[in-house]
Amino acid sequence: MTLSSTPITTNQLTTLKIIYKFRFITVGLLSQYRAISVETSKGTLSSMLKHGYIERHYDKSYKLLGKPARYYLTTKSIKLLKDQEGVSEKVLHARYKDASVSEDFIQRSLDIFKTALFIRSHYPDKRIIFTRYELAKYDYFPIPHPDLYVKKVNDDTLGPKAYFLEMVGNDHFFITKKRINQYIDHLETGEWPHQEYPQVIFIVQTKGQKKRLREYIEDLVINGHMDENEPEFKVIDNLDMLTNRE
């Protein structure tokens, strides 16, 4: 496949699809995701940067802060990906803003990537992980789409067969409350095509967030705004709880 006179290799195209999936990547995260050496990842990204397939957020302060460069799609690669199966033009259109998004947004994207890697490392071949960008082509998921949608495969253990994951940042609490209500409304619409509605897991950053969120969910049940466990909400503040809960 070519774009203008610059050829793209299969390896580079695979990397572009990973950036599409997670929006931002680093050398280390790419290395973990593809199970390749850091040096190989550096070489791939350096070549893609040189040929204009990717750009990066990086300045001198990153080194002092111990922050890696964050790579994202360029106009050139966005146009190339439009021809790929499973890619949403709406998602790609939003990528034109990636040069100017906030540091908090980038870090949140990287945290979602890390969470996906954590799940995959603990459940090799037993979980299929979709990001919000991969869900854009389906019309039965809640809007906004969850950060991650995880399905069990080759696994007959007890517990939910699928779950939505939401990363809770330092946003105002009303934003998270609104998100909970959106899930309740989505369940009530009956749009979900499967018999069992996925469990909804909120990953918070502090014990205070965890307490507030749990209290809010309990109040919804007590006041009759939702049935107990419909949908089933869980609030955790440690990724290890993802494995301990099953």
Side-chain angles (χ1 to χ4, degrees):
M1 179 180 295
T2 61
L3 183 67
S4 298
S5 59
T6 306
I8 184 167
T9 67
T10 300
N11 176 48
Q12 291 171 335
L13 183 59
T14 297
T15 301
L16 290 183
K17 290 179 179 179
I18 294 171
I19 302 176
Y20 174 84
K21 181 180 179 78
F22 293 103
R23 195 154 186 167
F24 293 93
I25 69 169
T26 65
V27 168
L29 292 177
L30 178 63
S31 176
Q32 291 180 59
Y33 190 81
R34 298 196 64 188
I36 57 179
S37 70
V38 169
E39 288 305 314
T40 299
S41 291
K42 284 182 179 178
T44 296
L45 294 175
S46 177
S47 176
M48 295 176 70
L49 190 64
K50 177 181 177 181
H51 289 96
Y53 288 115
I54 57 174
E55 191 48 81
R56 65 179 182 173
H57 287 278
Y58 185 79
D59 62 44
K60 293 180 180 179
S61 67
Y62 278 35
K63 188 172 183 179
L64 294 173
L65 297 172
K67 287 169 49 175
R70 293 89 185 282
Y71 297 88
Y72 59 93
L73 301 176
T74 61
T75 299
K76 181 176 182 178
S77 55
I78 289 171
K79 291 178 179 178
L80 188 151
L81 284 172
K82 286 181 180 179
D83 296 329
Q84 297 298 306
E85 184 178 356
V87 171
S88 163
E89 286 201 24
K90 184 177 180 180
V91 168
L92 285 177
H93 183 72
R95 300 300 174 87
Y96 289 110
K97 303 176 183 177
D98 285 354
S100 58
V101 297
S102 70
E103 169 61 22
D104 285 345
F105 183 89
I106 297 172
Q107 187 57 55
R108 189 173 188 278
S109 299
L110 297 178
D111 288 342
I112 292 169
F113 197 164
K114 292 174 185 177
T115 301
L117 286 170
F118 177 90
I119 296 169
R120 193 173 70 167
S121 69
H122 282 77
Y123 300 104
D125 304 319
K126 290 192 174 183
R127 299 291 185 274
I128 302 176
I129 304 170
F130 302 88
T131 65
R132 63 168 59 238
Y133 309 113
E134 295 171 301
L135 301 179
K137 60 182 179 178
Y138 303 102
D139 60 5
Y140 50 80
F141 282 91
I143 301 295
H145 293 105
D147 291 324
L148 293 174
Y149 170 57
V150 184
K151 288 179 63 176
K152 285 184 179 179
V153 293
N154 305 318
D155 188 341
D156 57 1
T157 57
L158 297 176
K161 301 302 180 185
Y163 46 95
F164 298 132
L165 280 177
E166 294 281 348
M167 307 291 289
V168 179
N170 294 317
D171 303 319
H172 294 295
F173 186 58
F174 79 87
I175 295 177
T176 306
K177 291 196 297 183
K178 181 179 179 180
R179 192 70 182 121
I180 291 173
N181 293 330
Q182 287 168 337
Y183 275 112
I184 295 171
D185 291 342
H186 181 254
L187 173 62
E188 291 177 348
T189 64
E191 293 178 0
W192 186 248
H194 308 296
Q195 183 175 2
E196 181 182 350
Y197 195 80
Q199 185 181 62
V200 184
I201 303 174
F202 288 91
I203 304 176
V204 300
Q205 297 184 18
T206 68
K207 298 288 185 182
Q209 287 178 325
K210 184 177 181 180
K211 182 175 183 293
R212 271 185 97 183
L213 200 48
R214 283 182 168 178
E215 288 176 347
Y216 179 71
I217 293 168
E218 290 172 3
D219 286 343
L220 288 174
V221 175
I222 292 172
N223 295 321
H225 297 300
M226 62 172 280
D227 295 330
E228 189 170 7
N229 295 330
E230 290 189 7
E232 181 182 0
F233 291 111
K234 294 289 183 181
V235 185
I236 64 175
D237 57 7
N238 189 312
L239 285 181
D240 288 331
M241 297 176 70
L242 280 174
T243 57
N244 295 336
R245 55 184 264 282
E246 300 185 18

